[in-house]
Amino acid sequence: MHSSRASTLTGMSSGNRGERMRVQCFTVGNFAVNTYLLTDETTGASAIVDTGETDALVHHLKRLDPAPDIQMILLTHTHLDHAGALCFLQEIWDVPTYMPAADRPLFETLPMQGTLFGMPHLNRPMGRIDHEIVDGEKIALGETTLGFLSTPGHTPGQGCYYDDHDIVVGDTLFMGSIGRTDFPLSNPAQAVESLRRLMALPGHLRVHSGHGPMTTLEREMQHNPFLGYLRLERGLPVGQAIRWAPGT
């Protein structure tokens, strides 16, 4: 969950000629969460990443022409704004669903998460999980291979899906910010290390966050005030820096 202002990314896509995967973004729900449709350009196979907490994504996807060949649902983490609409999607697309294994305890709170956050009307059923994935696993989407990088901190299992050009990071990293670490089951120390691991990936990767606009790892390394500790470690100009956890 995140309290950023509403994004204007609904229906926008990225991907250049010669790249294998297309990324389309649909911003939905009360929390302006970015959900994604990843499509392997060679085969047309598609994956949904994150769900929102209403049936809005279902309606966006059903309006697409041609209809996407949805073959799987991937969850970056299981806060209600990212996993709360899983049942709505599975009623239409009965496809394998992947969840970070370490987020199982949080996932099982979905029927009461709304209440825990003071919004009981947003309590949601859990839906079905077919695969619990761990750091380093690979997922085949048509001819595209997606890697999974575990980046716990915001939640115990928060993780990222990526290929050679794009990375979907959930609430690990935003343009100019990072995911909150003051929620139940959050862990600031884990987030410090997770961001270190994330920023070790190639800087050209386009970052598709759970809220807000697209960015790149390189841009965030240079300008994100929450990554000042990493710039210091690398001998880069620190610039504006926010100390948000021990070690930063």
Side-chain angles (χ1 to χ4, degrees):
M1 297 181 70
H2 182 67
S3 57
S4 69
R5 63 186 179 183
S7 169
T8 58
L9 292 174
T10 300
M12 292 187 66
S13 63
S14 72
N16 299 318
R17 183 172 296 179
E19 295 180 9
R20 180 164 288 168
M21 186 173 73
R22 182 171 74 252
V23 181
Q24 293 171 271
C25 178
F26 302 90
T27 303
V28 300
N30 296 284
F31 304 93
V33 66
N34 293 335
T35 62
Y36 294 95
L37 184 69
L38 311 182
T39 301
D40 175 66
E41 295 278 29
T42 303
T43 64
S46 293
I48 296 168
V49 185
D50 290 346
T51 72
E53 84 287 355
T54 71
D55 62 355
L57 181 58
V58 170
H59 295 295
H60 282 301
L61 296 175
K62 290 180 76 172
R63 284 197 294 265
L64 294 179
D65 185 16
D69 178 16
I70 295 171
Q71 297 193 358
M72 63 187 71
I73 300 170
L74 310 176
L75 301 177
T76 63
H77 65 293
T78 58
H79 277 147
L80 64 89
D81 54 333
H82 290 260
L86 182 58
C87 284
F88 296 133
L89 291 164
Q90 289 178 334
E91 287 176 2
I92 308 300
W93 296 283
D94 184 17
V95 295
T97 298
Y98 294 74
M99 176 187 74
D103 240 34
R104 168 61 69 174
L106 180 63
F107 179 71
E108 292 181 352
T109 70
L110 275 174
M112 65 190 80
Q113 260 192 54
T115 297
L116 294 174
F117 288 107
M119 298 170 284
H121 62 288
L122 295 180
N123 289 334
R124 293 291 186 264
M126 290 188 295
R128 186 192 74 252
I129 300 298
D130 301 292
H131 302 283
E132 297 190 6
I133 58 174
V134 298
D135 186 63
E137 285 199 44
K138 305 291 185 182
I139 300 172
L141 177 65
E143 295 186 9
T144 296
T145 299
L146 295 173
F148 179 74
L149 178 72
S150 182
T151 54
H154 179 66
T155 73
Q158 166 69 68
C160 310
Y161 301 93
Y162 66 99
D163 71 352
D164 292 337
H165 302 282
D166 296 275
I167 183 164
V168 183
V169 299
D171 287 359
T172 306
L173 179 71
F174 308 118
M175 179 182 281
S177 190
I178 60 171
R180 289 176 59 172
T181 58
D182 59 343
F183 289 136
L185 301 182
S186 294
N187 186 315
Q190 284 186 326
V192 170
E193 179 58 28
S194 290
L195 289 164
R196 184 178 285 118
R197 296 182 67 234
L198 174 62
M199 301 310 292
L201 294 177
H204 71 267
L205 287 179
R206 292 181 292 255
V207 175
H208 305 274
S209 301
H211 306 268
M214 184 174 67
T215 183
T216 66
L217 290 181
E218 181 179 23
R219 183 194 184 282
E220 296 313 301
M221 176 56 78
Q222 292 174 351
H223 301 294
N224 193 311
F226 292 87
L227 302 182
Y229 72 103
L230 296 179
R231 292 191 288 274
L232 183 64
E233 290 176 359
R234 297 186 182 191
L236 300 173
V238 173
Q240 182 183 4
I242 295 173
R243 180 176 170 82
W244 54 275
T248 64

